[in-house]
Amino acid sequence: LFAVGAAPAAALDEDSKPNAEAATSACVGDATGDMMFSDVSEMNALRAEINCLAYYGVTVGYGDGNFGPNDDVTRGQMVLFMERAAAVAGADAEAVVGDFAETGSDPVTRADMALLIARLLDSATETVDTAGDGTFTVDGVTGDDWDYFADSRNTQNRVKDSAASALYELGVAKGTGMGYFSPAASVSRAEMAAFITRALAHTSARPAGLTMQSSGPGVVLVSVRDANFHPVANAPIDIFSIASSKVDEAFNEDGSCNTPRLTGEQGNTELCEINVLDDGSGLDGDLMVTVQTVHEGGTTVWAWTGETGDEVEDGGEGLAMVELTETAPVSALNAKVTTDMARGANRAAFGSTITATIQLVGAEGADAIPPEGGASYRVFVRTEADALNAASDDLDTEVTAVSDSSTTATVTRHTLNVDASGKVTFTMTAVDPDPNNDDDPETGSVERVRVTYTVTQLSGPFATPGDSTSGQATVTDGTGTITFSDAPSVHRNAAITPTADYLAAPRSGGSASNVVTVTVTDQYGKGVRGHLVRLSSAHAPAGTPANTSRFPVARRTDSNGSVRIGYSYTGGASVETLTPNTATDTTDGATLTAFTNTGVTKAVYWAATLMAADLASGVVLVIDAERNTLIVGSSDGPQLVRYDDNDQFTVSDSSATPALTDAPITMARFEQYLAADGANNTARNDAVVVSSYDVTDAGDVSRFALTIN
């Protein structure tokens, strides 16, 4: 069966994206400072979130200098965290934790935390609201744009399930991998910091004083808050800018503004002075500014506030600053077709609905807008059914051919037009042709219904006028088959989700801890409960100690098919490859059989901090733009390298037109190049050469030479 139009909701998959992420953050300016928790190292993936939470006074740690990032959050602690967060966000604490206000050492579940944070945002913002049945809604996110976690939908009541979905759409909840939320799992204190700080981004919470952030292409948001983080209205704000390539010309040698070189924003011609012509902050303490010109190569913008008559005298010291990069709408080069089949699934259960999306894409796989005149596609859907012995239902081979000559098929055809965002959806489903079949996996048979779709282009920017077949080649993955079945569930795939992309390698003789989540799913993409899992580990470079005893026993998955596995690492800098295996029992030396699904292994980068180098080079393994950090491969294992806007950046890209050879670029452009590599699930292959590097010297000017491969 085939239907066109919006589905009521869509299960999360690897192509899903939040629809209402915050454009700005609460963790800027002074909120990025180090709060000096002794057990939160610079390599902790959630260090910034922990420091930000402490800045706002939501946490003070344990009072002994420790935070306990890996400790579970108890119910009593959660009440305190949410009451303090409510005060910062301007929410009603009673509405948030009123019926939850109980002490105790029992761990809080992810479902409970999602519920309390959704209540916080309902009280503090107009973005989140509640419907008549108590479920949460997000402004502007409806129909097939509303995503849900499969395990939450299957195990939680409507209110808690909607809370998890709302937090996903807001970019607050990321899930635990493979479209799962793990609602029954506990929450570490570090994860709690991430949840709350991402939620605060949607509220009025901003650091004391003046901060500025980019809130969209060519747009900056200036915020002014008092010492209690409350909005300050009518604060005069002076804003000025210059092309980033000329940023060294912005100030004179005495620290005053070089006004002939600067551009005043908001129509104020009295630059670098607070006066009556300056625009003021609104009642919400914010001022949104559209920058007049975003130059090729970027524009640097400054903002500040003060008393009437104050002038800039110190060369920008203490002023808020942000760099904007030139952006433009993405033009379509082709179209891709994706479905919301659960990741790793190769069967759909009878009665379920699969949504397919046709999306225009441009360079580097970015979503694109339609051309003038739109873009149209013809969709053919062929439905055919047969029965076979359950033992012959090979899950490793997708069914594409009709094996029974008596099988009949139905074909439907529809024409679809993409919307203004460059996408259109259609849905597919199938019912069990013989619901009375006992589906005995030993002696009976199972039914399969194969729904094959084919998408071809009718019009758009890629078709040749008068040639009805020219668009066929421009549709990526335009043909696919969804096999609906009633076969019994069997474990099929596994996935590993690490807590962080990289971790600090312990010093010689020391150890470091890591936690990963392994999720086991069946052929339908649903979690398999009670399955035994044991990890194995391999290391590179050769000779790295392997710690083979770190995983002595197998562990069972929970009701969501997941299990958290913690272990202690005692090696040096290395790339550790973790592989999940099934086990026949839980004793030492249990027989292990590795899962065979593609991508099941996960690399954990145990990185050493590069201290100083005249010349360090290697492939970029990880780019962490939020922390200005690269993990670079080397013969000695992964190396952590930091950069800032005081450094110099060049790029060599032979594929560019014209080709680039050691062309100077800004730090923002450097990060854009790195983010583009590895897009669309391609392997990261950029190489970087770092010279004149000294991590101990804050004034060091390092050179980063990037080669695009």
Side-chain angles (χ1 to χ4, degrees):
L1 297 177
F2 169 82
V4 179
L12 281 165
D13 63 16
E14 59 185 345
D15 293 314
S16 298
K17 296 179 182 179
N19 290 296
E21 283 189 284
T24 54
S25 172
C27 302
V28 294
D30 291 344
T32 62
D34 186 4
M35 304 306 289
M36 306 300 292
F37 290 116
S38 58
D39 58 351
V40 181
S41 71
E42 290 188 3
M43 293 286 283
N44 190 299
L46 298 177
R47 180 171 182 263
E49 289 82 354
I50 294 169
N51 286 329
C52 180
L53 204 69
Y55 169 82
Y56 283 109
V58 178
T59 182
V60 293
Y62 285 129
D64 59 356
N66 291 319
F67 176 75
N70 296 322
D71 296 349
D72 286 338
V73 178
T74 67
R75 294 178 68 84
Q77 291 171 350
M78 194 69 244
V79 170
L80 292 176
F81 291 141
M82 295 309 299
E83 287 178 341
R84 295 167 183 164
V88 174
D92 180 358
E94 179 66 21
V96 177
V97 298
D99 61 350
F100 195 82
E102 55 184 88
T103 59
S105 58
D106 291 340
V108 171
T109 66
R110 289 171 60 87
D112 284 336
M113 175 165 284
L115 176 64
L116 296 186
I117 292 179
R119 288 178 180 175
L120 172 78
L121 294 173
D122 179 27
S123 176
T125 75
E126 296 181 359
T127 304
V128 178
D129 203 352
T130 51
D133 60 357
T135 57
F136 294 95
T137 62
V138 175
D139 185 40
V141 184
T142 59
D144 60 346
D145 288 334
W146 184 265
D147 298 288
Y148 64 84
F149 295 99
D151 57 344
S152 176
R153 179 61 53 92
N154 293 334
T155 62
Q156 301 296 302
N157 62 42
R158 287 171 56 84
V159 173
K160 286 190 174 181
D161 177 52
S162 68
S165 290
L167 296 195
Y168 172 78
E169 297 297 357
L170 296 165
V172 175
K174 308 293 187 181
T176 55
M178 295 184 69
Y180 284 79
F181 184 65
S182 301
S186 59
V187 183
S188 72
R189 288 166 61 90
E191 292 169 336
M192 174 272 305
F195 269 103
I196 295 179
T197 53
R198 291 172 193 152
L200 290 178
H202 290 273
T203 73
S204 64
R206 295 296 182 269
L210 182 145
T211 57
M212 180 171 58
Q213 305 174 67
S214 171
S215 60
V219 179
V220 295
L221 177 70
V222 184
S223 302
V224 186
R225 301 293 187 267
D226 64 17
N228 296 315
F229 317 122
H230 296 155
V232 177
N234 301 316
I237 300 172
D238 182 53
I239 307 175
F240 53 92
S241 66
I242 195 171
S244 295
S245 61
K246 300 180 179 180
V247 70
D248 57 346
E249 302 176 17
F251 301 97
N252 299 313
E253 291 185 2
D254 62 0
S256 62
C257 286
N258 187 0
T259 52
R261 295 285 190 270
L262 301 174
T263 299
E265 304 296 342
Q266 297 296 98
N268 185 2
T269 57
E270 297 294 329
L271 301 184
C272 302
E273 178 182 346
I274 301 298
N275 58 63
V276 295
L277 296 178
D278 290 323
D279 283 342
S281 56
L283 294 177
D284 59 358
D286 295 337
L287 175 65
M288 189 83 72
V289 178
T290 299
V291 175
Q292 296 182 38
T293 304
V294 179
H295 301 273
E296 183 177 355
T299 295
T300 301
V301 187
W302 289 268
W304 66 298
T305 187
E307 301 294 331
T308 300
D310 288 352
E311 297 182 7
V312 173
E313 298 178 345
D314 52 9
E317 184 71 25
L319 276 64
M321 183 184 73
V322 68
E323 184 176 7
L324 303 179
T325 55
E326 187 178 26
T327 59
V330 177
S331 299
L333 298 178
N334 59 9
K336 65 178 179 180
V337 181
T338 58
T339 72
D340 64 353
M341 286 277 286
R343 188 176 182 182
N346 74 333
R347 295 290 186 270
F350 284 130
S352 62
T353 299
I354 303 299
T355 299
T357 300
I358 306 171
Q359 173 69 59
L360 300 183
V361 294
E364 298 170 353
D367 289 352
I369 60 172
E372 241 179 275
S376 302
Y377 294 86
R378 176 160 290 167
V379 178
F380 294 85
V381 176
R382 176 186 177 93
T383 302
E384 51 198 3
D386 67 346
L388 70 164
N389 186 275
S392 66
D393 188 12
D394 184 2
L395 297 180
D396 293 321
T397 303
E398 190 52 87
V399 183
T400 58
V402 179
S403 57
D404 185 344
S405 60
S406 65
T407 297
T408 59
T410 60
V411 178
T412 59
R413 183 176 67 178
H414 295 266
T415 299
L416 307 178
N417 302 313
V418 300
D419 60 19
S421 67
K423 75 174 182 179
V424 65
T425 64
F426 59 92
T427 61
M428 294 165 285
T429 188
V431 297
D432 190 341
D434 184 6
N436 296 319
N437 187 301
D438 61 7
D439 303 329
D440 188 329
E442 298 296 332
T443 61
S445 63
V446 297
E447 286 80 45
R448 294 189 306 202
V449 174
R450 297 174 303 282
V451 179
T452 300
Y453 61 87
T454 303
V455 179
T456 57
Q457 183 183 0
L458 288 179
S459 66
F462 337 113
T464 302
D467 183 353
S468 61
T469 64
S470 65
Q472 178 72 42
T474 67
V475 180
T476 303
D477 297 326
T479 298
T481 298
I482 310 297
T483 302
F484 293 83
S485 174
D486 60 359
S489 169
V490 294
H491 73 270
R492 171 174 169 78
N493 297 317
I496 301 178
T497 305
T499 302
D501 291 331
Y502 59 91
L503 295 162
R507 296 179 180 178
S508 177
S511 64
S513 61
N514 188 25
V515 178
V516 298
T517 299
V518 179
T519 302
V520 179
T521 56
D522 63 11
Q523 70 267 41
Y524 302 107
K526 294 183 178 181
V528 178
R529 180 176 184 173
H531 193 71
L532 286 169
V533 175
R534 182 175 161 192
L535 292 176
S536 62
S537 173
H539 296 263
T544 306
N547 280 116
T548 54
S549 63
R550 72 183 61 164
F551 306 115
V553 297
R555 301 275 303 278
R556 289 191 182 275
T557 57
D558 61 18
S559 59
N560 301 308
S562 297
V563 58
R564 292 179 70 186
I565 300 176
Y567 65 94
S568 180
Y569 176 81
T570 57
S574 75
V575 180
E576 180 185 28
T577 302
L578 297 176
T579 303
N581 304 271
T582 62
T584 58
D585 56 58
T586 59
T587 61
D588 290 350
T591 301
L592 302 176
T593 303
F595 285 91
T596 58
N597 59 291
T598 303
V600 64
T601 59
K602 178 63 68 172
V604 177
Y605 299 109
W606 293 97
T609 300
L610 185 68
M611 300 302 294
D614 291 328
L615 189 67
S617 63
V619 174
V620 178
L621 301 174
V622 179
I623 165 66
D624 187 348
E626 290 186 4
R627 296 169 178 81
N628 292 7
T629 297
L630 300 178
I631 304 298
V632 180
S634 76
S635 58
D636 296 323
Q639 304 292 313
L640 184 146
V641 185
R642 301 191 187 279
Y643 60 90
D644 57 37
D645 55 12
N646 189 47
D647 296 323
Q648 298 176 352
F649 306 91
T650 63
V651 62
S652 296
D653 185 359
S654 59
S655 65
T657 305
L660 300 175
T661 303
D662 294 331
I665 55 176
T666 64
M667 187 179 82
R669 188 63 178 138
F670 175 71
E671 292 176 335
Q672 286 180 333
Y673 272 111
L674 289 169
D677 189 33
N680 297 326
N681 298 317
T682 58
R684 179 171 293 283
N685 200 31
D686 286 345
V688 66
V689 175
V690 185
S691 55
S692 302
Y693 182 83
D694 185 354
V695 74
T696 64
D697 183 2
D700 173 65
V701 179
S702 303
R703 178 180 170 85
F704 292 79
L706 181 67
T707 300
I708 305 300
N709 295 316

